[in-house]
């Protein structure tokens, strides 16, 4: 058996810590919104992946799982609320938080499946974003904190 060097152990620990970071998938066609949300979430310790539409979203879900999805209601290719219904019937274990910049009356008229009180209103302040995401992650048992995973014993 070859002993681990300090370098290999610290590299192993960094990789294990990175693997433990909670993951957020942002689905939003608005590049400015995605950039702001991503920056705030990364600074808070989350791993973030973003996509702009439902097709790309479904491709991302096929590649890996996410702890949380931040989903814009007004997507270019499908009603975000309808997408949530479809996903709930199929296979998604991720928590999904809806967000929108639409006024409540417009949202109700165009997206009858969604209730405005269930959506985060954009622009979302950093404090509100981190509070809501933190609560969702806590409920899922995926709090952001330094975690060092142990290797399985051989």
């Amino acid at each position: 058996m070859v002993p681990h060097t300090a370098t290999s152990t610290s590299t192993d620990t960094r990789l294990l810590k990175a693997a433990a970071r909670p993951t957020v998938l942002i689905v939003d066609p608005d590049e400015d919104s995605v950039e702001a949300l991503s920056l705030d979430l990364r600074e808070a310790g989350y791993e973030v992946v973003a996509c702009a539409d439902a097709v790309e979203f479904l491709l991302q879900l096929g590649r890996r799982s996410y702890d949380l999805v931040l989903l814009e209601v007004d997507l270019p290719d499908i009603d975000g609320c309808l997408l949530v219904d479809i996903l709930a019937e199929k296979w998604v274990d991720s928590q999904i938080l809806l967000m929108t910049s639409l006024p409540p009356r417009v949202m109700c008229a165009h997206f009858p499946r969604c209730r405005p009180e269930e959506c985060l209103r954009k622009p979302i302040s950093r404090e509100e974003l981190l509070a809501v995401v933190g609560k969702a992650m806590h409920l899922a048992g995926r709090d952001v904190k330094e975690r060092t995973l142990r290797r399985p014993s051989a």
Side-chain angles (χ1 to χ4, degrees):
M1 183 167 150
V2 177
H4 287 283
T5 65
T7 306
S8 67
T9 302
S10 67
T11 301
D12 292 344
T13 302
R14 275 195 316 264
L15 292 173
L16 291 172
K17 283 182 182 178
R21 290 174 50 200
T23 56
V24 178
L25 177 60
I26 300 172
V27 187
D28 192 338
D30 179 350
E31 291 178 18
D32 292 334
S33 178
V34 168
E35 187 176 327
L37 294 169
S38 296
L39 179 65
D40 288 342
L41 291 169
R42 283 189 182 108
E43 286 179 352
Y46 297 99
E47 179 182 345
V48 179
V49 175
C51 53
D53 58 41
V55 172
E56 194 176 347
F57 170 55
L58 294 172
L59 289 171
Q60 285 294 335
L61 287 179
R63 291 184 185 120
R64 64 178 289 186
S65 62
Y66 294 88
D67 296 305
L68 178 71
V69 176
L70 282 174
L71 177 63
E72 167 60 53
V73 172
D74 192 15
L75 295 174
D77 49 356
I78 190 170
D79 167 347
C81 297
L82 177 60
L83 184 58
V84 170
D85 291 344
I86 293 167
L87 294 173
E89 291 176 13
K90 299 291 180 191
W91 74 101
V92 175
D93 292 328
S94 305
Q95 292 203 43
I96 300 174
L97 294 175
L98 297 173
M99 57 185 178
T100 186
S101 56
L102 298 173
R105 289 178 54 191
V106 173
M107 196 174 126
C108 289
H110 288 90
F111 304 101
R113 297 171 99 65
C114 293
R115 296 194 319 234
E117 65 274 9
E118 294 177 349
C119 289
L120 293 170
R121 298 275 306 146
K122 295 190 321 188
I124 304 166
S125 72
R126 182 178 201 282
E127 293 75 23
E128 180 184 13
L129 174 68
L130 297 181
V132 171
V133 169
K135 182 178 178 181
M137 290 292 186
H138 178 74
L139 292 173
R142 292 291 290 151
D143 298 299
V144 171
K145 55 187 161 189
E146 281 284 311
R147 300 176 193 201
T148 304
L149 301 179
R150 296 179 188 206
R151 290 185 177 273
S153 13

